[in-house]
Amino acid sequence: MKKNKLTLSKKQNLTGWIFLIPAMALIMCLSLYPAVKALITSFKTGAGSNMRWVGIANYARIFKDTVFLQSIRNCIFYLIIQVPVMLILALILASILNDRNLKFRGFFRTAIFLPCATSLVAYAIIFRSLFATDGFINTVLVKIGILDTAYNFLSHATSARIVIIIALIWRWTGYNMVFYLAGLQNIEYSVYEAAKIDGASPLKTFTHITVPLLKPTILMTAIMSTNGTLQLFDESVNLTFGGPGNASITMSHYIYNQAFKGVANFGYTSAMAFVILIMVAVLAFIQMKVGDDRE
């Protein structure tokens, strides 16, 4: 019997490995190998067969590249403002739409999530037209008397960044709201009923029950949102074109310009890509350390 049990165990392990090997092979070929290749390339300069070894020169060049430093500042600006606002708004909406007594909950959930299903390019172009000089936003602001004349939002540095932040909040709030709704489904509704009987206000219920119990989900969405914000590309490319004068350009947008526009230097762009990787990893580590209250 021991022999048969051992044989069965081996068969089960073998079956598991058979299912894992295809996925592992794909990860090795499509993720791990390109990552290692890019790391080696980051210590070289040039493109194609003309690449030569330069050591850490590409990484040293990053700290002297004013445009890339500007792109880092822009991404941090988006991160500091957009991510907290988006996550707080998503959490509030999820709490409201989790109420069993709310009518048309399904309709409101779908309506808020729909922007997430919109094409990245399409929604960036839509926001570009909305905030154009002759766009809908300017037309409304002029008609109600807030502005005397149309304001070119996309030609001023601060307003261009704010437009990107508004677009990001519009598109991704519903996405994070779905995660919070899923987390709220795992919280017993009797907890809220007990709090209501004890006389807890909606605000106290939200801050003392919803937020603490959703802490793991909030941490996960914060890490994902940080990762996504540091890798912003479509909004910078299609909404503001990185302008005016690189004032709203993102790191991924600048890497794309350096790799595929003008004289390509894949070594330098690979170095910049690994800088983004390091930033994402460090911020994720900090968030996990701060958010994990286990002893």
Side-chain angles (χ1 to χ4, degrees), residues 12-82:
Q12 290 175 340
N13 289 334
L14 181 61
T15 303
W17 280 107
I18 289 173
F19 281 103
L20 282 174
I21 285 173
M24 291 175 63
L26 286 173
I27 292 172
M28 291 284 291
C29 295
L30 301 179
S31 296
L32 186 59
Y33 173 74
V36 174
K37 187 73 174 176
L39 180 61
I40 295 172
T41 305
S42 69
F43 296 103
K44 298 180 180 180
T45 188
S49 59
N50 298 321
M51 298 192 74
R52 55 187 177 82
W53 190 269
V54 293
I56 62 170
N58 288 325
Y59 291 94
R61 177 182 170 185
I62 288 174
F63 297 100
K64 300 177 183 177
D65 190 336
T66 56
V67 179
F68 187 69
L69 295 177
Q70 176 64 44
S71 71
I72 293 176
R73 288 193 291 269
N74 291 339
C75 287
I76 293 175
F77 179 79
Y78 301 144
L79 176 66
I80 292 174
I81 297 178
Q82 177 256 334

Side-chain angles (χ1 to χ4, degrees), residues 125-148:
I125 294 173
I126 289 170
F127 268 83
R128 182 172 180 80
S129 64
L130 283 173
F131 286 92
T133 307
D134 56 348
F136 177 76
I137 301 298
N138 265 309
T139 302
V140 171
L141 292 177
V142 170
K143 289 217 172 185
I144 62 178
I146 294 179
L147 294 178
D148 295 328

Side-chain angles (χ1 to χ4, degrees), residues 94-102 105 109 181 183-197 205 209-210 213:
S95 299
I96 294 172
L97 296 178
N98 192 53
D99 187 356
R100 293 182 179 180
N101 299 319
L102 181 67
R105 286 189 304 164
R109 290 176 180 180
L181 277 172
L184 287 169
Q185 303 304 312
N186 295 322
I187 301 175
E188 291 291 337
Y189 201 75
S190 58
V191 176
Y192 291 101
E193 292 177 338
K196 192 174 181 180
I197 293 172
T205 302
I209 296 177
T210 302
L213 293 178

Side-chain angles (χ1 to χ4, degrees), residues 207-232:
T207 55
H208 290 82
I209 296 177
T210 302
V211 173
L213 293 178
L214 280 182
K215 192 173 182 180
T217 308
I218 294 171
L219 178 61
M220 179 193 69
T221 54
I223 292 173
M224 291 195 308
S225 300
T226 299
N227 185 4
T229 303
L230 291 177
Q231 298 181 66
L232 278 181

Side-chain angles (χ1 to χ4, degrees), residues 79 219 222-223 226 278-293:
L79 176 66
L219 178 61
I223 292 173
T226 299
I278 293 169
M279 291 176 65
V280 170
V282 169
L283 288 175
F285 177 78
I286 293 172
Q287 287 171 327
M288 291 184 69
K289 282 295 182 183
V290 171
D292 190 0
D293 54 3

